[in-house]
Each structure stands twice: as C-alpha cells, then as structure tokens.
Amino acid sequence: MLKSIKNKIAKKILSNKYLAPKTSQVDFNNFYSNAIDFTVIMPTDDTDFHNSMIVVTELTKKDILLTVIVPEHKYSLLQNKSKLRSITFTSEDQNYFNLPSQKLLDEVGSKSFDILIDLNKTENLFCSALAKVIDAEYKVGFSKANSDRYYNFQIESSEINSEISYRNLLNSLKMF
C-alpha cells in the first residue's frame, strides 16, 4: 500500500515538475541517419537489459558519440565500453519517491544530444524523469502509459518477446 501511494505521489510530482507541454513540431526526415550524439537509457528489467544489448551493439558500429545511462551494478555487463561514455546511477541517486535525485538530474540535464533512446518497455518513472530532463530533439521510446509526454517517436513493444521489440526498434530507426 505504501508503495502504491509513493508511486501516485511520484506521478504527480513528475507531472507537475517535469511535464510541461511540448509546443514545437519536429521533422523526422533522416533524423537517425544524420544524428551524431546519442544517449541510451538502459532498461531496469534484467531480461530486457540482456535483450536490449543488440541496440547498444548496433549503435557502437556507427560512427557516433554514444552515452549509456545504466545502473552502476549493471555497468560491467556492457560490451564495447571503449566505444561509449557512461552515466551510472545507484540507489543513492533516487529520492524517497524513486525519482532521480537533483544531483543526477543536474548531471544529465547539462548535456545535449541529438537522439535519446529509452529502452524501458514498461513504465518506469525514474527513467521517464531522466528522459524528460535530457536535452534531445528526438526522444525515442516504447508506447506505454503517458509515453506521449516523454517521447516524440514511439514504437509498439512485443508483449511476448522483448528481443523482438528491440529488433523492431532498430528496424524502425533505420528507416530514417
């Protein structure tokens, strides 16, 4: 019950503090192929984390700057670390309502990227708050509750197999 109340309060905080309506229109012509600076928010779910590595592997093959936002305890699971920059976080970077601490928000909010990709398939308020404060013209994520508020490019996810979802994400991005 306490977890449910905290989650409702976190949603309200997120809605009031971070979710100002977007007013500008975005042109998606060649947005993926022309982008140079990417950031990826890795999923918190263990199975999704493992399956999402195909996205990171594919991005490291491109001649781009890649920043990965990942829990510190999963950093060692990343491959091709020499080709990416990382921002790690711990439980200390979460406030009482499981939202990012001001320190972490300041760190990610001070950077600018061409594309942000949130690889969480299910609603995760912590990662959604990060996605909202990161400065990126194109924000890519999976369709989920309130995803219109966070992302301007959304992909439907497969309920059965997350690996299919990540392959579909890559194939959708390659069309641009």
Side-chain angles (χ1 to χ4, degrees):
M1 174 139 164
L2 181 61
K3 185 176 180 178
S4 172
I5 293 170
K6 283 173 57 173
N7 195 37
K8 286 181 182 179
I9 293 171
K11 284 182 180 182
K12 188 69 172 168
I13 292 169
L14 188 58
S15 177
N16 290 340
K17 189 171 182 180
Y18 304 112
L19 297 182
K22 279 211 159 199
T23 56
S24 63
Q25 291 187 342
V26 180
D27 180 15
F28 288 100
N29 289 334
N30 299 318
F31 84 99
Y32 177 73
S33 57
N34 292 340
I36 296 170
D37 201 354
F38 287 70
T39 187
V40 174
I41 300 174
M42 295 301 291
T44 54
D45 178 77
D46 291 337
T47 302
D48 288 349
F49 186 92
H50 173 72
N51 289 332
S52 71
M53 289 307 294
I54 61 171
V55 176
V56 175
T57 301
E58 191 66 31
L59 289 173
T60 57
K61 292 177 184 176
K62 290 178 55 108
D63 188 24
I64 61 167
L65 299 171
L66 177 61
T67 302
V68 177
I69 300 173
V70 60
E72 190 173 272
H73 68 278
K74 291 184 179 181
Y75 174 75
S76 63
L77 300 174
L78 292 175
Q79 301 163 353
N80 297 326
K81 290 184 195 87
S82 63
K83 295 186 177 188
L84 52 87
R85 300 172 291 182
S86 66
I87 298 174
T88 60
F89 60 89
T90 65
S91 59
E92 298 291 318
D93 293 312
Q94 292 182 350
N95 66 20
Y96 180 74
F97 298 107
N98 296 322
L99 293 173
S101 67
Q102 191 61 49
K103 177 185 164 211
L104 182 60
L105 290 173
D106 291 343
E107 181 181 357
V108 298
S110 67
K111 298 173 181 5
S112 181
F113 302 95
D114 297 328
I115 298 178
L116 167 126
I117 303 172
D118 182 356
L119 296 177
N120 285 283
K121 289 178 46 206
T122 58
E123 185 178 42
N124 181 313
L125 296 178
F126 179 86
C127 293
S128 295
L130 290 176
K132 192 60 184 175
V133 300
I134 290 174
D135 181 21
E137 185 173 3
Y138 303 102
K139 296 186 179 188
V140 179
F142 290 101
S143 295
K144 51 193 168 216
N146 298 315
S147 59
D148 290 342
R149 300 173 128 184
Y150 310 111
Y151 317 113
N152 52 15
F153 188 91
Q154 297 175 51
I155 307 292
E156 287 294 325
S157 66
S158 168
E159 296 294 322
I160 300 167
N161 186 340
S162 66
E163 186 176 357
I164 292 170
S165 297
Y166 296 116
R167 290 193 189 283
N168 287 343
L169 174 88
L170 283 171
N171 290 335
S172 296
L173 290 174
K174 288 178 183 177
M175 291 191 306
F176 295 93

